[in-house]
Amino acid sequence: MSTLVLTAHGSRDPRSGANARAVAERLRGMRPDLDVRLAFLELSAPNFVDVLSGLPDKRAAVVTPLLLASAYHARRDLPEQIARAGAYGVRQADVLGEDDRLLTVLRERLAEVGVSPHDEEVGVMVVAIGSSNTAANARTAKVAARLSTGTRWAATAMAFATRPEASVADAARRLRRRGASRLVIAPWFLAPGLITDGVSTYARDNGIPMAAPLGAHPLVAETVLDRFDQARADHVAA
């Protein structure tokens, strides 16, 4: 049996772990013949290295990140922890990235807070965590423009919650300068947590509606399975 090691960052906030467990359960329901194991890089249990060390057949396993951006954790942390576990036969799948299915989920989340694609007055602020990796930020920044395709919104803008040079407040000012009379926040996050709480505090203090994170939506799970399948196919082709 093949093993999908669903690997999340981990958080002191229990909502983050609960969301990862919900995604894992959804994967098991969608692919009953797949051995799905959940692991966290830090702060939450079960620990990633412990999970890898306990695999009966490491060559049948694919580490599949429950991460949006290809930044530090995907590029350095994961490979280093795989090596630390001595799991050299394990393959690593790609991150979820700016997949069209995730954009569909984000549009659904906006619809849940009353945002219509035909609203010409609204400005949509997409907020992500941000990275010290500028290339990763540049890829994530494309989400805002792609999200507006086919809509009549006044404008969209990207903000990074942890990068002062692209703050939520700066994005709000840009949207208003571009003609948006009403703003809404679309969080490019998989789960609620301490960082999204900071964004929601800003939203509440400024009277800005905020949509829910992507969560354990079926299309999130479908994207995870796609990354898993692609990693296996690439291995066979090699």
Side-chain angles (χ1 to χ4, degrees):
M1 178 183 287
S2 297
T3 301
L4 187 159
V5 183
L6 182 69
T7 307
H9 178 271
S11 171
R12 292 184 178 87
D13 191 312
R15 294 172 295 174
S16 178
N19 185 73
R21 286 188 287 275
V23 174
E25 281 304 308
R26 193 174 287 281
L27 293 171
R28 294 182 185 110
M30 295 169 70
R31 197 78 66 86
D33 60 337
L34 185 61
D35 179 17
V36 177
R37 303 195 182 200
L38 178 63
F40 296 93
L41 293 171
E42 57 182 329
L43 301 173
S44 303
N47 174 265
F48 178 69
V49 171
D50 292 343
V51 170
L52 284 194
S53 299
L55 292 177
D57 184 1
K58 296 177 176 58
R59 292 171 298 178
V62 177
V63 170
T64 310
L66 188 61
L67 301 170
L68 291 172
S70 181
Y72 170 79
H73 292 293
R75 291 177 174 271
R76 289 191 56 186
D77 197 11
L78 265 173
E80 288 175 1
Q81 292 205 37
I82 289 171
R84 191 180 311 153
Y88 298 103
V90 168
R91 285 155 279 159
Q92 180 180 332
D94 200 0
V95 298
L96 304 184
E98 304 75 46
D99 194 281
D100 286 341
R101 287 165 288 203
L102 303 186
L103 290 171
T104 296
V105 177
L106 196 56
R107 293 186 185 101
E108 286 187 18
R109 298 294 184 236
L110 287 169
E112 290 168 0
V113 293
V115 177
S116 166
H118 308 295
D119 192 336
E120 298 178 348
E121 298 180 351
V122 74
V124 176
M125 188 189 323
V126 180
V127 183
I129 186 169
S131 169
S132 58
N133 185 315
T134 56
N137 288 341
R139 288 190 294 272
T140 302
K142 296 177 182 177
V143 171
R146 289 173 57 195
L147 187 67
S148 66
T149 300
T151 74
R152 301 177 67 181
W153 297 336
T156 57
M158 194 78 211
F160 293 102
T162 60
R163 308 302 300 175
E165 71 276 11
S167 70
V168 176
D170 287 340
R173 285 191 288 269
R174 292 199 307 272
L175 288 171
R176 290 191 175 101
R177 285 197 300 267
R178 294 169 62 187
S181 58
R182 294 186 300 105
L183 303 184
V184 65
I185 292 176
W188 187 245
F189 286 80
L190 288 164
L194 300 178
I195 295 176
T196 57
D197 283 351
V199 178
S200 63
T201 297
Y202 172 89
R204 184 183 64 248
D205 291 348
N206 289 273
I208 301 173
M210 179 170 165
L214 302 176
H217 193 284
L219 290 178
V220 172
E222 186 178 303
T223 307
V224 170
L225 288 173
D226 181 77
R227 300 297 181 266
F228 169 80
D229 290 337
Q230 187 59 55
R232 292 183 67 199
D234 290 346
H235 177 74
V236 171

